[in-house]
Amino acid sequence: MPAFDLPAAELEHYRPEVQEPPDFDEFWRETLKEAARTDVLESVRPQENGLRLTRTWDVTFRGFAGDPVRAWYSRPAGVREPLPAVVEYAGYGRGRGLPHERLTWVNAGYAHLLMDNRGQGDQYGNGGATPDPHTAAPGGPGPAVRGLLDPYTYHYRRLITDAVRAVTAVRALPGVDGGRVAAVGNSQGGGLALAVAGLVPDLAAVLVTAPFLCGIRRALDLTDASPYGEIGAYLSVHRGVEEPAYRTLSYMEGVSFARRAAAPAHFGTGLRDTVCPPSGAYAAFHRYGELSGADPRKEIHAYPYNGHEGGDAVQVRRQLDWLSKVLAISR
């Protein structure tokens, strides 16, 4: 697939206007306030993982509306002191899988919380364990269109709230340095991590690659690939509901969250990405931190001949090196 978005020279300066609803901040303040009325941790149980060098716990925490959300909490075996933590968010259609699947951050010496995606987990990977009990609102079968016509019933209001609560949960777990918590994710996970950066003012760092939900309106014009393609397909059947759908999506716009973020940020994108077009990542990067009153450290890495896989293991190595410096960790 050849490059299809803006030329690289234009992306380097791409800073689009954002159509934000006037009650954006109030919407999220009230949503998170409601979620915070419930104690965050429900259970923490040791989990056999078949590994000698990593210990894992099966965590259930309370997310949106107090709903139980599952997660794997892992840390290096035999390490007793509090560790900086990485909260990781999974991609679209994926669940938390099995506890031995994602070990990079644990092997790098971090405590690691991998959040399950409510109502997802059936498209690839090894499944999830968190149902979404709020699925009666109008919308298609895929998560990207569940409750699409009202921001209060939309799937991503719930999932983003879960993502914020995951940070609260990891800070309540034993062996975590609560002042050094980073949010990490690719694709949908990158969109969630970026939302967390905009909603959690004392986050220590955020690392996002090929983020979903950034530059949403432009992405809907550029690609038919899922998840954006699911939204387009829904609108092709339900003609005339574009405006309420766009209004809902404006509350989930990653560029708006980026504007409010203050944590140091590491971005990555493939310039041939037809799933999450690179203009969305650049829009979030260039507008990152502009409303927070901070001047956060930030950098972006582009991969001209890569698609949604971006820099793959090369990007991960860059993330490891960058985060160790930001959190002042000796390796």
Side-chain angles (χ1 to χ4, degrees), residues 234-242:
Y234 179 84
L235 296 177
S236 76
V237 174
H238 300 276
R239 301 167 183 85
V241 300
E242 293 88 351

Side-chain angles (χ1 to χ4, degrees), residues 103-182:
L103 301 175
T104 297
W105 295 106
V106 179
N107 283 336
Y110 297 90
H112 179 243
L113 187 78
L114 176 61
M115 187 187 86
D116 206 11
N117 288 323
R118 66 164 63 218
Q120 299 188 31
D122 299 321
Q123 294 188 24
Y124 71 105
N126 289 290
T130 303
D132 185 0
H134 309 273
T135 57
V145 288
R146 291 178 191 157
L148 178 62
L149 302 186
D150 187 334
Y152 286 91
T153 62
Y154 192 38
H155 176 79
Y156 281 97
R157 179 186 181 222
R158 302 189 290 278
L159 194 59
I160 289 170
T161 301
D162 292 347
V164 171
R165 292 285 281 171
V167 173
T168 305
V170 82
R171 285 173 165 163
L173 290 169
V176 169
D177 179 350
R180 294 192 292 172
V181 176

